[in-house]
Amino acid sequence: MINKNGKLVLSQSTSSESKKYNSRAVIATDTNNDGNLDVWIRTINNGIEFKNINKDKNKWLKIKLVGEKMNTFAIGSIIEVMTKSNKQKQIILPQNGYLSQEPYMKHFGLGNEEITSIKITWPDKSITNINSPIKKNELLIIEHPKYKNK
């Protein structure tokens, strides 16, 4: 399917991306750390990667949470990234599709906007607020307020 003036229409493309697959799941993740989300399709036999080779200069931010005690991946946490005109929200979940798993690190596309704030709601309902200025185009690691690396 391709987008033509806001409507999806059947593509007649013969590219590898248009091939029919017996797939089980699809995930989007930045495999090569260039800021662009790449797509992985899980077929019955293997995984197929479609690299995003877009050369745009849009800004992005990756956030990795470090939880406490038995939940070091911070499963159940809610990450909210705010700009002047937009709010994105992602939840750290332990599942995705059959025989696949997205990373616990979350990717936020920013276009050309600046981040005004980040809000983390942890599973224990504690909250971490981070205000501007916040660097873009990098990985931000945020630890739970009670995290102790012992």
Side-chain angles (χ1 to χ4, degrees), residues 129-141:
N129 288 304
I130 301 169
N131 294 314
S132 186
I134 299 165
K135 292 183 181 179
K136 294 150 302 283
N137 297 347
E138 67 179 32
L139 171 64
L140 179 61
I141 299 173

Side-chain angles (χ1 to χ4, degrees), residues 4 13-14 45 114 121-122:
K4 281 197 175 181
S13 174
T14 57
N45 295 320
E114 299 294 320
T121 304
W122 300 91

Side-chain angles (χ1 to χ4, degrees), residues 15-27:
S15 69
S16 63
E17 294 87 358
S18 299
K19 252 178 103 175
K20 291 182 180 181
Y21 295 102
N22 182 359
S23 62
R24 299 294 184 252
V26 62
I27 63 167

Side-chain angles (χ1 to χ4, degrees), residues 24-150:
R24 299 294 184 252
V26 62
I27 63 167
T29 186
D30 184 6
T31 306
N32 55 1
N33 292 316
D34 64 357
N36 293 325
L37 289 176
D38 307 302
V39 175
W40 279 87
I41 296 174
R42 176 67 174 132
T43 68
I44 197 161
N45 295 320
N46 60 358
I48 301 166
E49 179 183 18
F50 295 103
K51 285 201 180 289
N52 183 345
I53 57 172
N54 190 352
K55 301 285 185 211
D56 66 31
K57 300 296 180 196
N58 287 329
K59 298 172 186 166
W60 51 271
L61 177 68
K62 294 180 195 177
I63 298 177
K64 179 180 179 183
L65 301 181
V66 179
E68 61 165 340
K69 298 180 185 173
M70 301 298 287
N71 188 6
T72 57
F73 290 115
I75 294 169
S77 296
I78 301 168
I79 305 171
E80 296 174 78
V81 174
M82 279 69 76
T83 64
K84 286 185 179 180
S85 64
N86 194 10
K87 176 169 90 170
Q88 296 180 53
K89 183 187 288 189
Q90 294 192 42
I91 302 171
I92 308 293
L93 296 173
Q95 79 281 345
N96 187 44
Y98 179 68
L99 296 177
S100 67
Q101 174 67 48
E102 284 188 10
Y104 293 117
M105 175 181 53
K106 295 300 179 182
H107 185 283
F108 295 86
L110 304 170
N112 289 316
E113 298 219 32
E114 299 294 320
I115 301 166
T116 57
S117 64
I118 298 172
K119 177 182 177 183
I120 311 296
T121 304
W122 300 91
D124 65 0
K125 305 300 183 217
S126 62
I127 293 175
T128 299
N129 288 304
I130 301 169
N131 294 314
S132 186
I134 299 165
K135 292 183 181 179
K136 294 150 302 283
N137 297 347
E138 67 179 32
L139 171 64
L140 179 61
I141 299 173
I142 303 170
E143 295 178 350
H144 188 282
K146 297 176 186 172
Y147 174 77
K148 293 190 194 289
N149 191 9
K150 291 184 178 182

